[in-house]
Amino acid sequence: MSKVRIKDIAEIANVSIGTVDRVIHNRGEVSQETRERIQKLLKEHSYKPDILASSLALKRQINLAVVMPRLVNEHAFWKLPLSGINKALEELSHYKISIKTYYFDQFNTDDFVHRVKNFPYNNIHGILFAPVFQEESIAFLRRCEKEKVPVVLFNSLLDDPYVKSFVGQDAYHSGYVAAKLINYGIEPKRDVAIINLSARKEHYAHIISREKGFRSYFEEHSGRLNHLLTIDLHSVDDQKLHSRLNEICSNYDLAGIFVTNSRVYKVAGFLAARGSMNVRLVGYDLLPESIDYLKRDYIDFLISQKPEEQSFRGLVSLFNLVAFNREPDEKQLLPIDIITRENLRYYKQ
Amino acid sequence: MSKVRIKDIAEIANVSIGTVDRVIHNRGEVSQETRERIQKLLKEHSYKPDILASSLALKRQINLAVVMPRLVNEHAFWKLPLSGINKALEELSHYKISIKTYYFDQFNTDDFVHRVKNFPYNNIHGILFAPVFQEESIAFLRRCEKEKVPVVLFNSLLDDPYVKSFVGQDAYHSGYVAAKLINYGIEPKRDVAIINLSARKEHYAHIISREKGFRSYFEEHSGRLNHLLTIDLHSVDDQKLHSRLNEICSNYDLAGIFVTNSRVYKVAGFLAARGSMNVRLVGYDLLPESIDYLKRDYIDFLISQKPEEQSFRGLVSLFNLVAFNREPDEKQLLPIDIITRENLRYYKQ
DNA sequence: AATATTTCCGTGTACGAACACGAAAATACT
DNA sequence: AGTATTTTCGTGTTCGTACACGGAAATATT
């Protein structure tokens, strides 16, 4: 039961350590026959490399890239993954590693395509990618596949066999959880609004999934379905937003609002300005602005996507893949943490 | 900025690696003068040992002990830390480590005192301890201090300077969070019960803290204070419990119940038997029985203490302390996770 | 002064895997 | 047959630290 080392395998097989090593790393230069013999032995003795020793001995330089939306004007969400990237950089500082970040304009398909075209594929050993544009992203994956650069996704899921791993949240279930929280807090027969505050909703598969999850909760539970309304607001202008929301408030008996992304603080701002405290408000992510409204009770619950952890785990997975050939889980689904004013302190940063 | 190694320090100080090593590990046999000189250099260059190399080179055998309540009859809670212990054992399997568990009867002070008396202090390098009896536990700590065996606590906090670290949850705030959840879900002017289902409440400091946290939420918020009642039920007998609860239900307009520990499933069982679905119920921990009632919507929220993670992190901290002299944080407070039927899957085991 | 004892410090090996280098064996080519 | 080339494999060093061992220097003892 004691751990089997390369040396042990080598002795059993009557070959040298070097040969076993070559088999393990597919470095070739081993005869068909002995390779198979050793592979069999490795399996039989269920050889697992010693993580510590491997790490210590690793000499290769490893270059990773992160491809994600640029931090434009207001959508502060994309700041958050950066701290995860830095944390990963620290955690992996024993190694010879470089992480370079490539930003693209999340509202401009052409920009993305252009950035990806001049990508230094042969200097990069792995890519952590936050996809936005469905088709173009798939095309990017095809290119990576051709260039044999492994890709790990975070934040948003692309259904493609070449993706080595996805780190993120199940969007559907997060919407489902949000629905529970709102339904739990309000009396029956009152109205609930789903607000999409996204410039271009169709770009975000997970926003759609969240709404679906939210709605399906109500389908399965108390018949509040005919009190559900979806509002798409593409404008980022606060003036317009407020007047639109005002209008809705007077037309409906709003008891709860679900904002399908991190811009929930905008709706909270409206509620605060209007002074209406008894509308349940649930949204996403721990942006500073949202935290502020959470503390002041204008937001009741936030669901964290854990963006720092997403990028962190994504990078670590990617590194382990390219450095040690350790295959990550296909999906790394992070828990759907429910954050309130009262437990916030344990989730911040 | 590149990492400084023992070798570098040795060269600068014009001594050998061995000497620097002796200084680092306080192994003596170094003259006062050179010791101080090297210590100064270590600080100046902010030397940090390479974790990987240290681990690989560590040859000492390390024996840890866990001291915790025995898994008696019903209080299944104490099963949970065991999986954390096993996980730690696995994680640390690269090392020469042994973990031995010592159980005591959590309802019998004498039993605890007796077990602790014949403790093999000189074979044990560190103790992970879940205290129950205040005074006797402090006495135990004194003994450990005398024998120079470091102690890390989990689950329940003892205020003692000798404790190297505490891994657990802030009980007060967890009660506070529970109050938010109940208050959020019910209409004003209805009654809320706090139920202590503990054989001997006074033994559990954290049960008292939870109640305090719960009450203080209501003190700070909507004046529901005169609708709050505390019920101490020492009996474990289901018959008695049900009749007592029945009695309460008819005397009060109960809209919410907070059970201050993992026995919340007992109250859920009562509600299920009675068929009353519209009482909000919040309690602790992911016991299988409670999970079952959570799934059936008799329990609305569970707050997890993460017992597996407590014991896991406790052991890892303890190991790092005795093996590498890495001081753990004084308090390792785990997040107060809010678990519902809808996000349960991401928190199970 | 010679020997014993203590204090102080350097050397060497081990940990397990990665990888460079080069040697031996097998095969191909003239 | 002799040389060149390729395939196959073994040896040795490296990563940074832990620790055993033993040697030299300083001090004490007779």
Side-chain angles (χ1 to χ4, degrees):
Chain A
M1 195 55 219
S2 67
K3 44 207 158 182
V4 186
R5 301 160 300 170
I6 281 191
K7 196 181 165 185
D8 302 321
I9 301 285
E11 273 173 14
I12 298 171
N14 253 326
V15 295
S16 77
I17 292 180
T19 304
V20 179
D21 184 73
R22 272 183 291 266
V23 171
I24 290 174
H25 294 91
N26 286 320
R27 258 194 272 279
E29 309 196 352
V30 177
S31 74
Q32 179 85 5
E33 183 202 11
T34 51
R35 183 188 312 119
E36 281 170 3
R37 190 157 55 90
I38 289 172
Q39 277 169 338
K40 200 178 149 204
L41 283 175
L42 287 172
K43 274 206 176 162
E44 276 178 15
H45 295 77
S46 65
Y47 167 78
K48 297 264 178 300
D50 184 309
I51 304 178
L52 303 169
S54 309
S55 307
L56 191 60
L58 186 73
K59 292 184 187 74
R60 259 178 303 152
Q61 161 86 18
I62 286 178
N63 302 319
L64 303 182
V66 181
V67 177
M68 58 177 260
R70 186 176 299 116
L71 296 74
V72 282
N73 48 47
E74 303 225 36
H75 207 170
F77 173 78
W78 291 106
K79 272 185 198 164
L80 302 177
L82 294 183
S83 73
I85 294 174
N86 288 328
K87 203 180 147 206
L89 208 43
E90 211 173 303
E91 174 109 347
L92 301 173
S93 65
H94 314 288
Y95 307 96
K96 289 176 198 139
I97 186 181
S98 82
I99 301 180
K100 195 149 184 255
T101 311
Y102 296 83
Y103 300 102
F104 61 87
D105 183 342
Q106 64 175 317
F107 305 111
N108 185 342
T109 313
D110 293 340
D111 180 67
F112 172 72
V113 172
H114 180 255
R115 302 248 164 227
V116 154
K117 181 165 280 179
N118 317 356
F119 202 79
Y121 291 98
N122 27 14
N123 276 331
I124 295 285
H125 304 106
I127 300 176
L128 180 68
F129 178 33
V132 171
F133 314 105
Q134 188 84 8
E135 286 174 42
E136 292 78 4
S137 297
I138 298 279
F140 178 42
L141 285 184
R142 287 287 78 70
R143 181 74 195 279
C144 294
E145 185 171 16
K146 197 180 141 206
E147 307 277 354
K148 298 195 176 166
V149 183
V151 178
V152 168
L153 299 185
F154 75 104
N155 192 262
S156 191
L157 183 55
L158 283 180
D159 196 26
D160 191 282
Y162 182 65
V163 169
K164 305 298 180 190
S165 183
F166 164 70
V167 187
Q169 197 171 60
D170 185 305
Y172 181 89
H173 277 107
S174 76
Y176 200 83
V177 169
K180 148 75 167 239
L181 294 173
I182 285 192
N183 185 57
Y184 175 85
I186 63 180
E187 306 112 64
K189 303 276 173 192
R190 296 190 61 196
D191 299 326
V192 173
I194 302 161
I195 300 188
N196 293 306
L197 273 175
S198 167
R200 300 180 68 182
K201 178 181 170 185
E202 67 275 16
H203 279 166
Y204 292 100
H206 56 281
I207 283 190
I208 297 170
S209 293
R210 286 168 182 172
E211 183 176 339
K212 272 192 194 157
F214 191 84
R215 286 187 166 272
S216 72
Y217 180 91
F218 286 102
E219 277 168 28
E220 294 168 18
H221 294 73
S222 56
R224 214 196 294 264
L225 259 186
N226 48 354
H227 293 276
L228 269 186
L229 63 149
T230 296
I231 303 159
D232 292 322
L233 292 173
H234 301 325
S235 159
V236 203
D237 180 45
D238 276 5
Q239 286 276 334
K240 280 191 182 173
L241 179 69
H242 281 217
S243 72
R244 187 87 169 77
L245 287 175
N246 252 322
E247 182 188 334
I248 292 160
C249 278
S250 40
N251 288 338
Y252 295 91
D253 176 28
L254 270 195
I257 298 177
F258 172 49
V259 182
T260 53
N261 66 5
S262 62
R263 298 191 213 260
V264 55
Y265 63 90
K266 297 215 167 219
V267 177
F270 162 77
L271 292 179
R274 202 171 189 263
S276 46
M277 289 289 295
N278 55 357
V279 176
R280 306 305 198 187
L281 182 55
V282 175
Y284 284 86
D285 297 318
L286 301 182
L287 295 192
E289 300 90 333
S290 297
I291 286 180
D292 192 45
Y293 286 115
L294 186 72
K295 283 182 180 165
R296 290 159 62 198
D297 261 345
Y298 286 103
I299 296 177
D300 293 285
F301 295 100
L302 286 173
I303 292 173
S304 174
Q305 293 190 75
K306 305 195 153 197
E308 311 86 354
E309 200 173 334
Q310 283 185 21
S311 55
F312 174 78
R313 289 178 59 160
L315 276 174
V316 172
S317 301
L318 191 60
F319 179 82
N320 283 325
L321 177 65
V322 311
F324 303 116
N325 208 25
R326 291 201 266 273
E327 297 279 348
D329 285 345
E330 199 184 333
K331 290 196 182 181
Q332 304 183 55
L333 292 181
L334 302 184
I336 300 172
D337 286 335
I338 300 171
I339 287 135
T340 76
R341 189 172 176 264
E342 289 76 20
N343 70 356
L344 169 66
R345 76 181 68 191
Y346 301 101
Y347 293 97
K348 266 198 283 195
Q349 92 112 325
Chain B
M1 193 56 217
S2 66
K3 44 207 159 182
V4 186
R5 302 160 298 171
I6 281 190
K7 196 180 166 186
D8 301 321
I9 300 287
E11 273 172 15
I12 298 171
N14 253 324
V15 294
S16 76
I17 293 179
T19 304
V20 178
D21 182 74
R22 272 183 291 265
V23 172
I24 291 173
H25 293 91
N26 286 321
R27 256 192 273 283
E29 310 198 350
V30 177
S31 74
Q32 179 86 4
E33 183 202 12
T34 51
R35 183 187 311 119
E36 281 170 4
R37 189 159 55 91
I38 290 173
Q39 276 169 339
K40 199 178 150 206
L41 282 175
L42 288 172
K43 274 206 176 163
E44 276 178 15
H45 295 78
S46 65
Y47 167 78
K48 296 266 180 298
D50 184 308
I51 304 179
L52 302 169
S54 309
S55 307
L56 190 61
L58 186 73
K59 292 184 187 73
R60 259 178 303 150
Q61 160 85 18
I62 287 178
N63 301 320
L64 303 181
V66 180
V67 177
M68 58 177 257
R70 186 177 297 118
L71 297 74
V72 282
N73 48 47
E74 302 225 34
H75 207 171
F77 173 77
W78 290 105
K79 272 185 197 165
L80 302 177
L82 293 183
S83 74
I85 294 175
N86 288 328
K87 204 180 147 206
L89 208 43
E90 212 172 303
E91 174 109 347
L92 301 173
S93 65
H94 310 78
Y95 306 97
K96 289 176 197 138
I97 186 181
S98 82
I99 301 180
K100 194 149 186 256
T101 312
Y102 296 83
Y103 300 102
F104 61 86
D105 183 343
Q106 64 176 318
F107 305 112
N108 184 341
T109 313
D110 293 341
D111 180 67
F112 172 72
V113 173
H114 179 254
R115 302 247 164 228
V116 156
K117 182 163 281 177
N118 318 355
F119 202 78
Y121 291 97
N122 27 13
N123 275 331
I124 296 285
H125 305 105
I127 300 176
L128 180 68
F129 178 33
V132 171
F133 314 105
Q134 188 86 6
E135 286 175 41
E136 292 78 5
S137 296
I138 298 279
F140 178 43
L141 285 184
R142 288 287 77 72
R143 182 74 195 278
C144 294
E145 186 171 16
K146 196 180 141 206
E147 307 277 354
K148 299 193 175 167
V149 182
V151 178
V152 168
L153 298 185
F154 75 105
N155 192 261
S156 191
L157 182 55
L158 283 180
D159 196 26
D160 190 282
Y162 182 65
V163 169
K164 304 299 180 190
S165 183
F166 164 69
V167 186
Q169 197 171 59
D170 185 305
Y172 181 88
H173 277 107
S174 77
Y176 200 82
V177 169
K180 149 75 167 238
L181 294 174
I182 284 191
N183 186 54
Y184 176 85
I186 64 180
E187 306 111 65
K189 305 276 174 190
R190 296 190 60 195
D191 299 326
V192 173
I194 302 161
I195 301 189
N196 293 306
L197 272 175
S198 168
R200 300 179 68 181
K201 179 181 172 186
E202 67 273 20
H203 279 166
Y204 292 100
H206 56 279
I207 283 190
I208 296 170
S209 293
R210 286 168 182 171
E211 183 176 340
K212 271 191 193 157
F214 191 85
R215 286 188 167 271
S216 73
Y217 180 91
F218 285 102
E219 277 168 28
E220 294 169 18
H221 294 74
S222 56
R224 213 196 294 266
L225 260 186
N226 48 356
H227 293 276
L228 271 186
L229 63 150
T230 296
I231 303 159
D232 292 323
L233 292 173
H234 301 325
S235 160
V236 203
D237 179 45
D238 277 6
Q239 286 277 332
K240 280 191 184 175
L241 179 69
H242 282 217
S243 73
R244 188 87 169 76
L245 288 174
N246 252 323
E247 182 188 334
I248 292 160
C249 279
S250 39
N251 288 338
Y252 295 91
D253 176 28
L254 269 195
I257 299 177
F258 172 49
V259 181
T260 53
N261 65 6
S262 63
R263 298 191 213 261
V264 55
Y265 63 90
K266 296 214 168 220
V267 177
F270 163 77
L271 292 178
R274 202 169 189 263
S276 46
M277 289 289 295
N278 55 357
V279 177
R280 306 305 198 186
L281 182 56
V282 175
Y284 284 86
D285 297 317
L286 300 182
L287 296 191
E289 299 90 332
S290 297
I291 286 179
D292 192 46
Y293 286 115
L294 186 73
K295 284 182 178 165
R296 290 158 62 197
D297 261 346
Y298 287 104
I299 295 177
D300 293 285
F301 294 100
L302 287 173
I303 292 173
S304 174
Q305 293 190 76
K306 306 193 153 198
E308 312 85 355
E309 202 174 333
Q310 283 186 20
S311 55
F312 174 77
R313 289 177 60 159
L315 276 174
V316 172
S317 300
L318 191 59
F319 179 82
N320 282 325
L321 177 64
V322 311
F324 303 117
N325 207 26
R326 291 203 265 274
E327 298 278 348
D329 285 344
E330 198 185 333
K331 289 195 181 179
Q332 303 184 56
L333 292 181
L334 302 185
I336 299 174
D337 286 335
I338 299 171
I339 288 134
T340 76
R341 190 172 174 262
E342 289 75 19
N343 69 357
L344 170 67
R345 77 181 68 190
Y346 300 102
Y347 293 97
K348 266 198 284 196
Q349 89 112 325

